[in-house]
Amino acid sequence: MELDLRLIRYAVILADELHFGRAAQKLLIAQQTLSSQIAQLEARLGVVLFIRDSRHVELTPAGVFFVDRGRRLLAEARAMIVELNRTAPLLRVDVITEGLPTTDLIARQLRSRLPEVTLEVVQGHGFTVAVTGLLQGRTDLAFGRVHGLDGPLPKVLQHQLVRLESMGVALPAEHKLAGHDAVRMEDLAEYPLLLHIAEEATDWLDWNEELIAEFGLEVGYRMRGHGRSAANAAVTAYHAPALGPLFTPVADDVVVRPVVDPVPVYPFSAVWRSGPPIKSLDGAITAIRTIAAESGWLDPPPQAWWMPAADHT
């Protein structure tokens, strides 16, 4: 006969609890179902594993033997799955930080489009850290703006533009500009900005400073921090607008509005290390190009838009 690992697990859990009610609760099944399945297992084996009456449950000698060997089988099955996962191609992706629509969406879609690849997602909290991870071989793929670093992108790294993402402005819900459907750049210039930027996010800092210089914006607060959640909390605390993605998750006391005249655009690129072909990486790059094309991510906004001069190259 063929043994069903599910039934073996039922017997092992029942042996641990020696109580049908507690065992059924642990297995997330009905007590009647557990009793029926144990009876079915005993009938197929042709032996009695458990002695039970209205007051107690105990193992027979055959039950002791079966449960002991059953534990070994379950352990072997778990070990096999772990080893099998280790044989799958591994792709280590740095999505920079939490709450970025582009990188979050790409990571989710890569999981579904590359089911044969084990995807390990990390957050470097800044593109500078992501570049270091790529150079040191700790990650395989990262995302960010390839300009605005402390120096040029190392030649050993390749990159592909993924998205021209329109940026918006996060505002306290009671802010005067929050009542607008869109915020004009000249109106934004009337309010000091909050710059909440991780020290390692030099590309994002450079983009903000280029925008500020181009349109005469004023900086009211400069803070170091990671993630959109912390940035949104700072917007509320300081009652100041902060530039960021249009579709980032926000709390109830924060709103995000589009910026227009012009639309500020942030160029996201996929970046990876040159070297011998890696099947999982090649597949991911192909998938990312497909995602970008299907989503129209490389199409600029239909209205007037702005991006730093270096990025137009």
Side-chain angles (χ1 to χ4, degrees), residues 99-181:
L100 294 182
T102 295
T103 54
D104 286 351
L105 183 57
I106 288 175
R108 289 199 302 271
Q109 292 210 26
L110 284 180
R111 288 190 190 279
S112 61
R113 293 176 186 244
L114 303 172
E116 73 285 358
V117 174
T118 298
L119 192 65
E120 182 180 305
V121 176
V122 299
Q123 295 179 0
H125 299 303
F127 190 50
T128 300
V129 175
V131 167
T132 301
L134 291 172
L135 293 174
Q136 294 178 351
R138 291 185 281 106
T139 51
D140 305 303
L141 183 65
F143 300 93
R145 175 173 170 250
V146 296
H147 297 284
L149 303 175
D150 293 333
L153 193 71
K155 292 183 179 181
V156 72
L157 299 181
Q158 299 183 52
H159 57 92
Q160 167 77 53
L161 185 63
V162 171
R163 186 175 189 180
L164 298 173
E165 183 169 358
S166 300
M167 293 286 117
V169 59
L171 298 153
E174 69 276 11
H175 196 281
K176 184 177 180 179
L177 294 177
H180 298 204
D181 292 334

Side-chain angles (χ1 to χ4, degrees), residues 29-281:
I29 61 175
Q31 182 175 333
Q32 185 178 1
T33 300
L34 176 59
S35 179
S36 172
Q37 293 292 297
I38 293 296
Q40 180 185 353
L41 176 61
E42 290 176 325
R44 292 172 65 181
L45 292 172
V47 297
V48 176
L49 302 177
F50 296 92
I51 298 173
R52 58 268 208 191
D53 57 31
S54 58
R55 289 181 296 180
H56 78 289
V57 177
E58 65 179 81
L59 283 163
T60 66
V64 172
F65 175 82
F66 181 85
V67 168
D68 179 61
R69 292 297 180 90
R71 291 188 198 279
R72 298 184 202 177
L73 286 173
L74 293 174
E76 283 292 326
R78 286 192 293 269
M80 180 185 69
I81 296 300
V82 170
E83 290 298 323
L84 186 62
N85 286 337
R86 289 173 180 168
T87 65
L90 176 65
L91 183 68
R92 299 160 299 176
V93 181
D94 191 326
V95 295
I96 307 175
T97 190
E98 56 90 10
L100 294 182
T102 295
T103 54
D104 286 351
L105 183 57
I106 288 175
R108 289 199 302 271
Q109 292 210 26
L110 284 180
R111 288 190 190 279
S112 61
R113 293 176 186 244
L114 303 172
E116 73 285 358
V117 174
T118 298
L119 192 65
E120 182 180 305
V121 176
V122 299
Q123 295 179 0
H125 299 303
F127 190 50
T128 300
V129 175
V131 167
T132 301
L134 291 172
L135 293 174
Q136 294 178 351
R138 291 185 281 106
T139 51
D140 305 303
L141 183 65
F143 300 93
R145 175 173 170 250
V146 296
H147 297 284
L149 303 175
D150 293 333
L153 193 71
K155 292 183 179 181
V156 72
L157 299 181
Q158 299 183 52
H159 57 92
Q160 167 77 53
L161 185 63
V162 171
R163 186 175 189 180
L164 298 173
E165 183 169 358
S166 300
M167 293 286 117
V169 59
L171 298 153
E174 69 276 11
H175 196 281
K176 184 177 180 179
L177 294 177
H180 298 204
D181 292 334
V183 176
R184 295 184 304 166
M185 192 72 75
E186 64 180 44
D187 293 333
L188 190 60
E190 298 179 13
Y191 299 90
L193 291 175
L194 163 70
L195 293 189
H196 183 278
I197 300 174
E199 185 175 356
E200 303 87 351
T202 54
D203 55 327
W204 175 237
L205 175 62
D206 179 81
W207 184 90
N208 275 270
E209 291 183 336
E210 290 265 3
L211 179 74
I212 288 164
E214 180 77 17
F215 297 101
L217 305 182
E218 180 184 349
V219 178
Y221 310 93
R222 290 179 181 267
M223 299 182 63
R224 298 295 189 188
H226 302 291
R228 297 310 311 169
S229 298
N232 292 330
V235 166
T236 302
Y238 290 89
H239 199 75
L243 294 161
L246 268 176
F247 302 105
T248 185
V250 293
D252 293 339
D253 54 356
V254 175
V255 298
V256 178
R257 296 289 182 257
V259 177
V260 296
D261 298 332
V263 177
V265 170
Y266 196 86
F268 275 103
S269 291
V271 185
W272 63 96
R273 185 177 61 259
S274 301
I278 302 174
K279 186 177 180 180
S280 59
L281 178 59

